[in-house]
Amino acid sequence: MTKKVRKMSMALETYLNDVNEEDISTDQDVQRVFCQDKKFVDELVITVLTEDYIPPIILGEIESEGGITKRYVSDGNQRTFALNSFKTMNWKVNTKVEDSIIHYQAKRRDENGKIVRDDNNEVVYDMLEFNIKGKTYDQLPKELKKIFDNYQIELAIQKCDSMKQVSKYVRRYNRSKGMSTNQKGLTWVPEYARRIKNITQGEFYKNCVPCKKAMSKNGTYEQSVCDSVMTVFHLEDWKRQAEVENKYLDEESSCNEFDTISSYLDRIEKVCVDKHQNAFQAVLIPVWVAVFNEFNKYKLDDTEFERFVAAFEDELHSRKVDGVSFDGLVSLGGTRNKKNITDKINLLCNLMKEFLHIKEEYIEAVEKEENNDNVESTLDFVKENVDENIEEDDVELFDAMVQDTVKVDSPVYEQCQKALVALMAYACQKEKDSDFEEWVKKYEKTDETFSPSQKINYMFLKNNFDNYIQRGVTA
């Protein structure tokens, strides 16, 4: 039985000659015209000159009456046209092409053009390089022309009984889908690509983001991770094009930056789960991660962030700040526009600080990171932060009340003793000491590390306590 498919290879120059002389037809009935971009041609040319691999070209072969055989390209028409363009159509390689330096060896020649030989009469070779940017085939050194012409192109010749069958094969082999912009973008950040893909397999993308299979396949999630690294760590260097941005990250980012984004997404998912998918649209993930990064500075409980997101979905999305709402910014489009992204982040941060009652003095304390207040007495600390009329006896009472409520060997007491005493004074003034006893229980069980600054710890705890009593939470 005759094999249906036979394989062979021939020199690229011979193959292109057969195409140009119509021994092989690229004009089969259902073949599409050339539709690839310039990069496709340039990178294919470089692939040949560096002697890398090109998949086989498939030919459909029809034998008609009288033994006449005709061959048609079933798969590989785009590659054929691209290589032919460079060889015979004066194609000039783009000046922005990647990997433009081609290395090759050439015989060394003296000033008269004569081949140089060593003491054993062996030809001496040199390793040379050629920058192919802006060059045509005719401008190649003869050594590179030889490499191009002699490149062995693989062919798979498939027996067909009719043109209809060739058409069926054309349809079958061309069902593949090209890489999307985001999928191509991932190829520009190989240093962190595996880490990026692992992040997108986490619970955040499974639960928090609206389920859209296309986005999970077309690289949108992977690009949102890269964009998040940019909004948190490199916003000033934001790049509109994913390819340019990811190349930048490959050179300028770090594993720690990607790990930080991963930890932020994990924390968001833990408190939000699937409750706020309307907010976490894929295109807005980098914005929300940047907002969470701001939130993280204030050492609030992560449940406060979830509370803000819920309020955003409910009403804050339409609230105007300086005459502009988040909905208004979204309506402007420009999802990869630096100004639009920055405006969204700033607006959400302002809404968040207003909603969570993050006062300016707390922000200043966090930014200053005052680490020298350990020498300050508890009395002075309470006077400064709560009421200057408080006396030593009052402080002793507040301290005793705290010790009756909080275990003295708990991390929160060991790290925040002055802050807790001041907060008890504050609670008593508001007649909320019973609320304090209920509220502080969650901190007894936490292993959270607090700031060395009692001022920051006080502002942090006070902010959480205020939010607690404003919501009227009861045990």
Side-chain angles (χ1 to χ4, degrees), residues 162-201:
S162 65
M163 187 65 87
K164 184 177 181 179
Q165 189 176 18
V166 177
S167 297
K168 182 179 72 173
Y169 288 138
V170 171
R171 180 174 66 250
R172 177 186 295 175
Y173 299 137
N174 285 278
R175 287 195 185 277
S176 61
K177 185 177 181 180
M179 295 180 81
S180 69
T181 299
N182 288 332
Q183 288 169 336
K184 289 178 183 176
L186 189 64
T187 69
W188 288 94
V189 61
E191 184 71 23
Y192 306 107
R194 174 52 58 188
R195 192 175 245 95
I196 292 166
K197 293 175 75 172
N198 287 342
I199 291 172
T200 64
Q201 298 303 310

Side-chain angles (χ1 to χ4, degrees), residues 347-465:
L347 189 148
L348 283 177
C349 286
N350 288 334
L351 289 173
M352 177 181 69
K353 286 183 278 191
E354 177 186 350
F355 178 78
L356 297 179
H357 307 288
I358 301 174
K359 308 298 185 192
E360 195 62 35
E361 60 266 26
Y362 176 70
I363 296 173
E364 291 174 359
V366 171
E367 291 175 346
K368 286 178 65 176
E369 279 293 322
E370 298 171 342
N371 295 320
N372 60 348
D373 59 358
N374 288 327
V375 297
E376 186 179 28
S377 71
T378 303
L379 175 60
D380 290 339
F381 184 83
V382 176
K383 280 177 171 287
E384 178 187 348
N385 292 284
V386 183
D387 187 343
E388 63 180 12
N389 296 316
I390 288 176
E391 298 180 353
E392 184 70 42
D393 290 345
D394 299 320
V395 169
E396 290 178 359
L397 174 61
F398 298 141
D399 192 11
M401 293 175 70
V402 170
Q403 291 185 42
D404 288 342
T405 306
V406 184
K407 294 179 181 178
V408 294
D409 60 350
S410 64
V412 67
Y413 185 86
E414 290 178 347
Q415 298 178 54
C416 307
Q417 188 262 341
K418 289 179 187 177
L420 288 172
V421 173
L423 191 58
M424 178 60 82
Y426 173 78
C428 287
Q429 283 191 341
K430 286 184 165 291
E431 299 182 354
K432 295 290 184 181
D433 45 304
S434 59
D435 291 285
F436 177 92
E437 293 176 7
E438 293 297 326
W439 166 81
V440 81
K441 287 179 180 178
K442 69 176 181 178
Y443 287 105
E444 280 190 302
K445 301 176 182 179
T446 184
D447 57 358
E448 183 173 351
T449 301
F450 295 89
S451 171
S453 167
Q454 290 299 305
K455 175 73 170 180
I456 289 178
N457 290 336
Y458 174 69
M459 298 297 290
F460 160 58
L461 293 169
K462 178 178 177 294
N463 190 76
N464 272 352
F465 182 60

Side-chain angles (χ1 to χ4, degrees), residues 5 89 124 132 208 266 301 318 368 374 413 417 447:
V5 178
M89 302 179 196
V124 177
I132 200 171
C208 295
D266 287 344
D301 191 281
S318 60
K368 286 178 65 176
N374 288 327
Y413 185 86
Q417 188 262 341
D447 57 358

Side-chain angles (χ1 to χ4, degrees), residues 241-300:
Q241 293 180 306
E243 174 183 312
V244 178
E245 173 187 301
N246 293 0
K247 188 175 182 180
Y248 169 89
L249 288 175
D250 199 61
E251 297 171 354
E252 302 295 336
S253 189
S254 66
C255 293
N256 183 62
E257 290 181 355
F258 282 94
D259 289 346
T260 298
I261 299 304
S262 180
S263 70
Y264 283 176
L265 294 175
D266 287 344
R267 287 169 59 188
I268 293 171
E269 189 279 332
K270 189 174 181 180
V271 293
C272 292
V273 200
D274 61 352
K275 294 183 288 186
H276 307 299
Q277 291 186 353
N278 287 335
F280 298 127
Q281 300 293 325
V283 71
L284 295 177
I285 290 172
V287 172
W288 279 110
V289 173
V291 175
F292 188 82
N293 179 63
E294 180 70 16
F295 169 85
N296 187 59
K297 296 177 183 178
Y298 307 125
K299 294 184 176 295
L300 303 175

